[in-house]
Amino acid sequence: MDRIRIVGGRELNGVIPISGAKNAALPLMIASLLTPETLTLENVPDLADVNRLLRILGNHGVDHMVEGRRFGDSPDASRTIRLSARDIVDTTAPYELVSKMRASFWVVAPLLARMGEAKVSLPGGCAIGTRPVDLLIMALEKLGAKVEIEAGYVHATAPKGLRGAEIEFPKVTVGGTHTAMMAAATAQGATRILNAAREPEVVDLAACLNKMGAKISGAGRSEIEIEGVGRLNGARHRVLPDRIEAGTYAIAAAMAGGDVLLAGAEAGALQNALDALVAAGAQVAVSNEGVRVKRNGAGLSPVDVETAPFPGFPTDLQAQFMALMTRAKGDSRITETIFENRFMHVQELARLGARIRLEGDVALVEGVERLEGAPVMATDLRASVSLVIAALAAEGETMVNRVYHLDRGFERLEAKLSGCGAVIERLSS
Ligand code: EPZ
C-alpha cells in the first residue's frame, strides 16, 4: 500500500492549480443516464472516485471516452470525458459497487426517471457516520415512485412515469436535492423543492441539466422550481472548480506560512472558510486569477467554527481547520453539526502532539507550540488530508498511511504541494 512521507517545517510559496470539483463531477456524470445523447464534461478531475463511477456507469450501459491531451498541454490540463447512455442495459446497481462509493446510490433517480425502474443497493454506513438515504427515498415517493426495500436493495418503480410534486426536506441534504432535481427534470408537471441544499455543486448540476433541456430555476436558493420536460438531450458542460480542494490548500498555506496563489479558485464558494482564515491571521486576496493566501511570521489566532450547510462553514473542511487550530495561540471550539461521527482525525492528530478533547459534537482544541512527526493514518479523505496539513508544520518526518483515501479526492496532491516547496513524496510498496 502506498504511503506519503512528509518532512515538516517548510513554507509554501508558489501557484497551486485548482482541479474540477469531485462533488460536482460525480452527480454530473450520473446525469448522463438521463439522455440517450452524449454529455461532454470538461474539467473532470482524475480521481479514484471518478474512475470508479465510470465503471459503475459502464455497468448500466454508459460508454465513455476520455479526450486525449493535446500537444503542449500542461500536466495540469484537465480531462474532458464524453458519456453516452444510448441504451440502458441494466437498472440494478449492486452492493459490491455502491458500498464502495456512497454517491453512486444517486443513480437511482435518473434510472427511475428514464426506465421506470431502478434497483440500487443501500449504501450502508461509512467512516463519517450512518448517513441514511431516507430523504432521497422520500423525494422519489413524493414524485410518485413506489419504493420497496428488499434484501438490502432499494427497489423503486414508476411504471406510468414520475409526476411533479412539492418536496420539502426536513433537513438540508445535498444528495437529496441532486436526486430530486434529476428525478423531477423529466417528470410530468411542476415540482417545487423546499429547504433545498444551496451548495455550488447543486447550482452546477442544475446548470448542466438546463443545458440538457431541463427547466430548473432557483438553484442556489432554498426553493427550487422545476417544470418537467419530455426528454433531455446531450450537452457540453465544464465542472466548477473544487472549493474543498481550494480551501484545503488555503488552510495548508496558513499552516505552513508563505504565499500561495490558488489558481482558478472561486472565493465566493469559499467565503465562510476564508473569513475564518483571516480571523486566524492569514491574509487573503481575491483576483481574477484566483485566491491568494499569505501568512508571514505572525502566529495563528484561535478561531471557533461550526459546520453548517452552504453558505456556512463546510463540514468537508472541518478536519483541515482543526489541524490548523492545533498550532493556534490559545483554545478553539470546532463544532460538527452535519455528521455525527466526523472526528476520526482527532486520535491521529494527537499522535502528532495535538491536544484535543471531544465533548459530543464539539472538539476543544488547545493550541500547542510544536507538533512532532509520527506515523499516522486516517479513515476518510478529509481526515487524511488534515494529517498532511498538520505534518507540514510538524518537526521531522510524518508517514501518512492508507493513502488511497487521499487519492479519492485530491488530484496530484504531492506534486501540487512539492511544487510550492513542501518536502512530500509518495512511497510505493
Ligand atoms: C455530500 O454528501 C458530499 N458528497 C459530502 O462530501 C459532504 O460532506 C456532504 O454533502 C455535506 O456537504 C458528495 O457530494 C459526493 P447530505 P451527501 O445528504 O449528499 C443526513 C467528501 O468528503 N441525511 O447533504 O451524502 C446525513 O446523514 C464528502 O467529499 C439524512 O438524514 O450529504 C447528514 O447528516 C463526504 N437522510 C446530512 O443529512 C438522507 O436521506 C447531510 O447529508 C440524506 C442525508
Side-chain angles (χ1 to χ4, degrees), residues 22-23 26 102-103 106 128 131-136 171-176 178 199 243 315-316 338-339 342 380-382:
K22 167 181 86 80
N23 288 351
L26 299 179
R102 235 189 102 76
W106 300 342
I128 61 176
R131 301 183 77 191
V133 289
D134 55 325
L135 302 178
L136 283 67
K171 178 176 196 177
V172 174
T173 155
V174 174
H178 288 330
E199 268 66 4
R243 64 192 168 102
T315 175
D316 291 346
I338 308 287
F339 294 111
R342 209 175 194 181
D380 82 84
L381 82 130
R382 311 304 176 189

Short mmCIF file of all heavy atoms in Angstrom, two decimals, residues 22-23 26 102-103 106 128 131-136 171-176 178 199 243 315-316 338-339 342 380-382, ligand 1:
data_model
loop_
_atom_site.label_atom_id
_atom_site.label_comp_id
_atom_site.label_asym_id
_atom_site.label_seq_id
_atom_site.Cartn_x
_atom_site.Cartn_y
_atom_site.Cartn_z
N LYS A 22 -14.68 17.30 -7.35
CA LYS A 22 -15.16 15.91 -7.25
C LYS A 22 -16.67 15.87 -7.02
O LYS A 22 -17.39 15.14 -7.69
CB LYS A 22 -14.45 15.20 -6.09
CG LYS A 22 -15.08 13.87 -5.70
CD LYS A 22 -14.38 13.20 -4.55
CE LYS A 22 -14.81 13.62 -3.18
NZ LYS A 22 -16.04 13.02 -2.66
N ASN A 23 -17.14 16.67 -6.06
CA ASN A 23 -18.55 16.54 -5.65
C ASN A 23 -19.52 17.19 -6.63
O ASN A 23 -20.73 17.09 -6.46
CB ASN A 23 -18.75 17.10 -4.24
CG ASN A 23 -18.14 16.16 -3.20
OD1 ASN A 23 -17.75 15.05 -3.52
ND2 ASN A 23 -18.06 16.63 -1.96
N LEU A 26 -19.25 14.06 -9.83
CA LEU A 26 -19.96 12.79 -9.62
C LEU A 26 -21.45 12.90 -10.01
O LEU A 26 -21.93 12.12 -10.84
CB LEU A 26 -19.79 12.30 -8.18
CG LEU A 26 -18.34 12.00 -7.74
CD1 LEU A 26 -18.30 11.56 -6.28
CD2 LEU A 26 -17.69 10.94 -8.62
N ARG A 102 -20.57 5.98 -1.81
CA ARG A 102 -21.94 6.35 -1.46
C ARG A 102 -22.67 7.09 -2.57
O ARG A 102 -23.84 6.85 -2.83
CB ARG A 102 -21.86 7.26 -0.24
CG ARG A 102 -22.65 6.82 0.90
CD ARG A 102 -22.64 7.90 1.91
NE ARG A 102 -23.89 8.62 1.85
CZ ARG A 102 -25.01 8.17 2.34
NH1 ARG A 102 -25.06 7.02 2.94
NH2 ARG A 102 -26.11 8.89 2.25
N ALA A 103 -21.96 8.02 -3.22
CA ALA A 103 -22.63 8.86 -4.21
C ALA A 103 -23.21 8.04 -5.35
O ALA A 103 -24.13 8.49 -6.04
CB ALA A 103 -21.67 9.91 -4.75
N TRP A 106 -26.92 7.62 -6.02
CA TRP A 106 -27.72 8.64 -6.73
C TRP A 106 -28.15 8.21 -8.12
O TRP A 106 -29.01 8.86 -8.72
CB TRP A 106 -26.94 9.97 -6.81
CG TRP A 106 -26.58 10.54 -5.47
CD1 TRP A 106 -27.15 10.22 -4.26
CD2 TRP A 106 -25.58 11.52 -5.18
NE1 TRP A 106 -26.55 10.94 -3.25
CE2 TRP A 106 -25.59 11.75 -3.77
CE3 TRP A 106 -24.67 12.23 -5.96
CZ2 TRP A 106 -24.73 12.65 -3.15
CZ3 TRP A 106 -23.81 13.14 -5.34
CH2 TRP A 106 -23.85 13.34 -3.95
N ILE A 128 -17.73 8.25 8.23
CA ILE A 128 -18.12 9.51 8.87
C ILE A 128 -19.53 9.46 9.46
O ILE A 128 -20.10 10.48 9.81
CB ILE A 128 -17.94 10.74 7.94
CG1 ILE A 128 -18.78 10.62 6.69
CG2 ILE A 128 -16.48 10.94 7.60
CD1 ILE A 128 -18.71 11.86 5.80
N ARG A 131 -25.24 7.98 7.89
CA ARG A 131 -25.61 8.54 6.59
C ARG A 131 -26.77 7.81 5.90
O ARG A 131 -26.58 7.13 4.88
CB ARG A 131 -24.39 8.61 5.67
CG ARG A 131 -23.29 9.46 6.27
CD ARG A 131 -22.11 9.59 5.35
NE ARG A 131 -22.33 10.52 4.26
CZ ARG A 131 -21.52 10.64 3.21
NH1 ARG A 131 -20.46 9.89 3.11
NH2 ARG A 131 -21.77 11.52 2.28
N PRO A 132 -27.98 7.95 6.42
CA PRO A 132 -29.13 7.27 5.81
C PRO A 132 -29.52 7.87 4.45
O PRO A 132 -29.00 8.93 4.06
CB PRO A 132 -30.25 7.50 6.83
CG PRO A 132 -29.85 8.72 7.58
CD PRO A 132 -28.36 8.77 7.58
N VAL A 133 -30.44 7.19 3.75
CA VAL A 133 -30.94 7.70 2.46
C VAL A 133 -32.46 7.89 2.50
O VAL A 133 -33.11 7.97 1.47
CB VAL A 133 -30.55 6.78 1.27
CG1 VAL A 133 -29.06 6.86 0.98
CG2 VAL A 133 -30.97 5.34 1.51
N ASP A 134 -33.01 7.97 3.72
CA ASP A 134 -34.47 8.09 3.85
C ASP A 134 -35.04 9.31 3.13
O ASP A 134 -36.12 9.26 2.53
CB ASP A 134 -34.87 8.12 5.34
CG ASP A 134 -34.15 9.22 6.12
OD1 ASP A 134 -32.98 9.50 5.80
OD2 ASP A 134 -34.76 9.80 7.04
N LEU A 135 -34.29 10.41 3.12
CA LEU A 135 -34.82 11.64 2.50
C LEU A 135 -34.78 11.54 0.97
O LEU A 135 -35.61 12.14 0.28
CB LEU A 135 -34.04 12.87 2.99
CG LEU A 135 -34.08 13.06 4.51
CD1 LEU A 135 -33.25 14.26 4.93
CD2 LEU A 135 -35.52 13.24 4.99
N LEU A 136 -33.83 10.78 0.45
CA LEU A 136 -33.77 10.58 -1.00
C LEU A 136 -34.98 9.75 -1.43
O LEU A 136 -35.64 10.03 -2.43
CB LEU A 136 -32.46 9.89 -1.40
CG LEU A 136 -31.20 10.77 -1.44
CD1 LEU A 136 -30.81 11.25 -0.07
CD2 LEU A 136 -30.04 10.07 -2.09
N LYS A 171 -34.50 18.45 6.47
CA LYS A 171 -33.09 18.73 6.78
C LYS A 171 -32.41 18.99 5.45
O LYS A 171 -32.78 18.37 4.45
CB LYS A 171 -32.56 17.44 7.40
CG LYS A 171 -31.15 17.36 7.78
CD LYS A 171 -30.92 16.02 8.46
CE LYS A 171 -29.62 16.04 9.21
NZ LYS A 171 -29.39 14.81 9.95
N VAL A 172 -31.45 19.88 5.42
CA VAL A 172 -30.78 20.18 4.15
C VAL A 172 -29.94 18.98 3.73
O VAL A 172 -29.12 18.49 4.50
CB VAL A 172 -29.87 21.42 4.30
CG1 VAL A 172 -29.07 21.64 3.01
CG2 VAL A 172 -30.70 22.65 4.62
N THR A 173 -30.17 18.48 2.53
CA THR A 173 -29.37 17.36 2.03
C THR A 173 -28.94 17.60 0.59
O THR A 173 -29.77 17.88 -0.28
CB THR A 173 -30.12 16.00 2.17
OG1 THR A 173 -29.61 15.07 1.19
CG2 THR A 173 -31.62 16.10 1.98
N VAL A 174 -27.63 17.52 0.37
CA VAL A 174 -27.08 17.73 -0.96
C VAL A 174 -27.53 16.61 -1.89
O VAL A 174 -28.11 16.83 -2.96
CB VAL A 174 -25.53 17.79 -0.89
CG1 VAL A 174 -24.93 17.88 -2.29
CG2 VAL A 174 -25.07 18.97 -0.04
N GLY A 175 -27.33 15.36 -1.45
CA GLY A 175 -27.70 14.21 -2.27
C GLY A 175 -29.21 14.17 -2.51
O GLY A 175 -29.66 13.79 -3.59
N GLY A 176 -29.99 14.57 -1.52
CA GLY A 176 -31.45 14.60 -1.67
C GLY A 176 -31.85 15.62 -2.73
O GLY A 176 -32.73 15.38 -3.56
N HIS A 178 -29.90 16.77 -5.22
CA HIS A 178 -29.49 16.25 -6.54
C HIS A 178 -30.52 15.24 -7.05
O HIS A 178 -30.93 15.26 -8.21
CB HIS A 178 -28.16 15.48 -6.43
CG HIS A 178 -26.95 16.34 -6.21
ND1 HIS A 178 -26.82 17.62 -6.66
CD2 HIS A 178 -25.77 16.05 -5.58
CE1 HIS A 178 -25.62 18.09 -6.34
NE2 HIS A 178 -24.97 17.16 -5.67
N GLU A 199 -25.65 24.42 -2.01
CA GLU A 199 -24.24 24.22 -2.34
C GLU A 199 -23.94 24.55 -3.81
O GLU A 199 -24.79 24.29 -4.68
CB GLU A 199 -23.86 22.75 -2.08
CG GLU A 199 -23.32 22.45 -0.68
CD GLU A 199 -24.33 22.62 0.45
OE1 GLU A 199 -25.51 22.91 0.16
OE2 GLU A 199 -23.93 22.49 1.61
N ARG A 243 -14.08 23.66 -4.51
CA ARG A 243 -13.94 24.62 -3.40
C ARG A 243 -13.30 23.95 -2.19
O ARG A 243 -12.64 24.60 -1.40
CB ARG A 243 -15.30 25.24 -3.05
CG ARG A 243 -16.30 24.26 -2.52
CD ARG A 243 -17.72 24.83 -2.45
NE ARG A 243 -18.65 23.76 -2.21
CZ ARG A 243 -19.20 23.49 -1.02
NH1 ARG A 243 -18.92 24.24 0.02
NH2 ARG A 243 -20.03 22.49 -0.89
N THR A 315 -18.53 21.18 6.26
CA THR A 315 -18.06 20.01 7.03
C THR A 315 -16.84 19.38 6.37
O THR A 315 -15.98 18.82 7.05
CB THR A 315 -19.19 18.96 7.18
OG1 THR A 315 -18.66 17.80 7.81
CG2 THR A 315 -19.81 18.56 5.85
N ASP A 316 -16.73 19.51 5.04
CA ASP A 316 -15.60 18.91 4.34
C ASP A 316 -14.29 19.66 4.57
O ASP A 316 -13.24 19.25 4.06
CB ASP A 316 -15.89 18.82 2.82
CG ASP A 316 -16.99 17.81 2.52
OD1 ASP A 316 -17.33 17.01 3.41
OD2 ASP A 316 -17.52 17.83 1.38
N ILE A 338 -23.11 18.48 10.93
CA ILE A 338 -23.67 17.77 9.77
C ILE A 338 -23.61 16.25 9.97
O ILE A 338 -24.59 15.55 9.78
CB ILE A 338 -22.94 18.14 8.46
CG1 ILE A 338 -22.87 19.66 8.27
CG2 ILE A 338 -23.58 17.45 7.25
CD1 ILE A 338 -24.14 20.32 7.89
N PHE A 339 -22.44 15.75 10.34
CA PHE A 339 -22.28 14.30 10.52
C PHE A 339 -21.95 14.00 11.97
O PHE A 339 -21.20 14.74 12.61
CB PHE A 339 -21.18 13.77 9.59
CG PHE A 339 -21.54 13.87 8.14
CD1 PHE A 339 -20.88 14.76 7.31
CD2 PHE A 339 -22.55 13.09 7.59
CE1 PHE A 339 -21.21 14.87 5.97
CE2 PHE A 339 -22.89 13.20 6.26
CZ PHE A 339 -22.23 14.08 5.44
N ARG A 342 -17.75 12.59 12.68
CA ARG A 342 -16.70 13.03 11.78
C ARG A 342 -15.50 13.60 12.54
O ARG A 342 -14.96 14.64 12.18
CB ARG A 342 -17.25 14.06 10.79
CG ARG A 342 -16.48 13.99 9.49
CD ARG A 342 -17.01 14.88 8.41
NE ARG A 342 -16.39 14.47 7.14
CZ ARG A 342 -16.60 15.04 5.98
NH1 ARG A 342 -17.45 16.03 5.90
NH2 ARG A 342 -16.00 14.61 4.90
N ASP A 380 -10.98 8.57 6.34
CA ASP A 380 -11.70 9.17 5.21
C ASP A 380 -10.82 10.25 4.60
O ASP A 380 -9.78 10.60 5.15
CB ASP A 380 -13.10 9.67 5.61
CG ASP A 380 -13.08 11.03 6.27
OD1 ASP A 380 -13.07 12.04 5.54
OD2 ASP A 380 -13.09 11.10 7.51
N LEU A 381 -11.26 10.75 3.44
CA LEU A 381 -10.29 11.56 2.70
C LEU A 381 -10.01 12.92 3.33
O LEU A 381 -8.88 13.37 3.31
CB LEU A 381 -10.72 11.70 1.24
CG LEU A 381 -11.73 12.71 0.80
CD1 LEU A 381 -11.18 13.48 -0.37
CD2 LEU A 381 -12.98 12.00 0.37
N ARG A 382 -11.02 13.56 3.91
CA ARG A 382 -10.75 14.89 4.51
C ARG A 382 -9.92 14.71 5.77
O ARG A 382 -9.06 15.54 6.09
CB ARG A 382 -12.05 15.61 4.81
CG ARG A 382 -13.05 15.65 3.66
CD ARG A 382 -12.51 16.25 2.37
NE ARG A 382 -13.48 16.17 1.29
CZ ARG A 382 -13.22 16.46 0.02
NH1 ARG A 382 -12.02 16.83 -0.36
NH2 ARG A 382 -14.16 16.37 -0.90
C1 EPZ B 1 -22.42 15.41 0.15
O1 EPZ B 1 -22.78 14.17 0.76
C2 EPZ B 1 -20.95 15.32 -0.15
N1 EPZ B 1 -20.68 14.19 -1.04
C3 EPZ B 1 -20.16 15.16 1.13
O2 EPZ B 1 -18.79 15.19 0.80
C4 EPZ B 1 -20.46 16.35 2.05
O3 EPZ B 1 -19.80 16.16 3.28
C5 EPZ B 1 -21.98 16.44 2.28
O4 EPZ B 1 -22.67 16.52 1.01
C6 EPZ B 1 -22.39 17.66 3.11
O5 EPZ B 1 -21.93 18.82 2.50
C7 EPZ B 1 -20.77 14.34 -2.35
O6 EPZ B 1 -21.16 15.39 -2.86
C8 EPZ B 1 -20.38 13.20 -3.21
P1 EPZ B 1 -26.05 15.20 2.70
P2 EPZ B 1 -24.31 13.80 0.94
O7 EPZ B 1 -27.15 14.38 2.13
O8 EPZ B 1 -25.09 14.37 -0.17
C9 EPZ B 1 -28.32 13.47 6.55
C10 EPZ B 1 -16.49 14.49 0.93
O9 EPZ B 1 -15.60 14.37 1.81
N2 EPZ B 1 -29.20 12.72 5.65
O10 EPZ B 1 -26.05 16.66 2.44
O11 EPZ B 1 -24.37 12.34 1.16
C11 EPZ B 1 -26.89 12.97 6.54
O12 EPZ B 1 -26.72 11.82 7.34
C12 EPZ B 1 -17.92 14.20 1.29
O13 EPZ B 1 -16.27 14.81 -0.24
C13 EPZ B 1 -30.29 12.04 6.16
O14 EPZ B 1 -30.54 12.05 7.36
O15 EPZ B 1 -24.65 14.56 2.29
C14 EPZ B 1 -26.16 14.18 7.05
O16 EPZ B 1 -26.25 14.23 8.44
C15 EPZ B 1 -18.20 13.24 2.32
N3 EPZ B 1 -31.10 11.34 5.28
C16 EPZ B 1 -26.96 15.35 6.46
O17 EPZ B 1 -28.24 14.81 6.11
C17 EPZ B 1 -30.85 11.30 3.95
O18 EPZ B 1 -31.62 10.65 3.22
C18 EPZ B 1 -26.37 15.98 5.21
O19 EPZ B 1 -26.02 14.95 4.28
C19 EPZ B 1 -29.76 12.02 3.44
C20 EPZ B 1 -28.94 12.72 4.31
#
